[in-house]
Amino acid sequence: RETFSTEVVLLNRRVLAMGQTIEKKNNEPVVTGSTATLEVEPQQAERLMVAQKSGQLTLVLRSIRDAIS
């Protein structure tokens, strides 16, 4: 039986760019992103690198409206 754990590495970072690819799924075009460029401080970049070496990173995006409220 496998054990999984999660950890939030960074919060509320600005996304500067997304690397996107268009694939077909069920004969429909689907846009996916495999890379993201984030605006971070040097210490935050170090945390990201350690997290990347430790396992799999997943980026969760929120609506731009969340930043306004």
Side-chain angles (χ1 to χ4, degrees), residues 21 33 36 41-42 64 69:
T21 56
E41 300 292 328
I64 189 73
S69 55

Side-chain angles (χ1 to χ4, degrees), residues 4-43:
F4 296 97
S5 66
T6 63
E7 177 183 347
V8 175
V9 180
L10 295 174
L11 285 173
N12 300 325
R13 297 292 88 207
R14 185 188 319 214
V15 177
L16 300 176
M18 291 291 297
Q20 296 180 338
T21 56
I22 299 174
E23 303 172 351
K24 283 204 172 196
K25 196 171 198 175
N26 297 328
N27 218 18
E28 294 287 326
V30 177
V31 178
T32 60
S34 59
T35 61
T37 302
L38 305 178
E39 183 177 62
V40 297
E41 300 292 328
Q43 287 181 323

